[in-house]
Amino acid sequence: MTAIPMIDQKHNAPRRYFVDAQGHRVLIGLSLEETAEFEALDASSKETVHGAAEIRGGEWAAAAGETRWLELYSKHEGAWRTWIARSQAAQAQDLSFVNYV
């Protein structure tokens, strides 16, 4: 699979997406379902920061959500780093035919 990353311009830290065979925008290293879960957890964590954290019963749910968010982020980050390393190696190999004078 060839992944072409897409940059999400709405966020401070860009996310790395590719378009899957069905045309869905998916985070590199995650499935479509995991991408949707990650984005939902990410959005809910931003809402929590803006005031919803006052509910004590929600503290456990927030902690569980943060743990799952971190799991998904780690999976994505590992796949992203692998993709970057492979891309750079392929680029270096493509440049090996250049004759320097």
Side-chain angles (χ1 to χ4, degrees):
M1 161 180 61
T2 301
I4 300 172
M6 298 172 20
I7 305 296
D8 187 351
Q9 299 296 330
K10 296 178 185 177
H11 299 88
N12 292 333
R15 295 206 181 117
R16 292 77 47 124
Y17 293 88
F18 71 95
V19 177
D20 69 8
Q22 292 77 34
H24 300 112
R25 192 180 72 136
V26 180
L27 281 164
I28 291 174
L30 301 184
S31 68
L32 178 61
E33 294 79 14
E34 288 171 328
T35 297
E37 181 183 5
F38 177 85
E39 290 175 338
L41 289 168
D42 195 49
S44 69
S45 72
K46 288 177 180 144
E47 290 172 12
T48 299
V49 168
H50 295 331
E54 298 168 5
I55 304 168
R56 286 201 180 262
E59 288 179 14
W60 182 85
E66 289 171 13
T67 299
R68 180 62 177 151
W69 181 92
L70 187 56
E71 289 171 359
L72 293 169
Y73 179 81
S74 295
K75 184 177 178 183
H76 162 64
E77 183 67 17
W80 172 252
R81 289 179 185 273
T82 299
W83 186 86
I84 287 295
R86 287 180 182 162
S87 295
Q88 289 174 343
Q91 242 179 358
Q93 192 173 24
D94 289 344
L95 294 176
S96 65
F97 72 88
V98 176
N99 292 325
Y100 294 98
V101 180

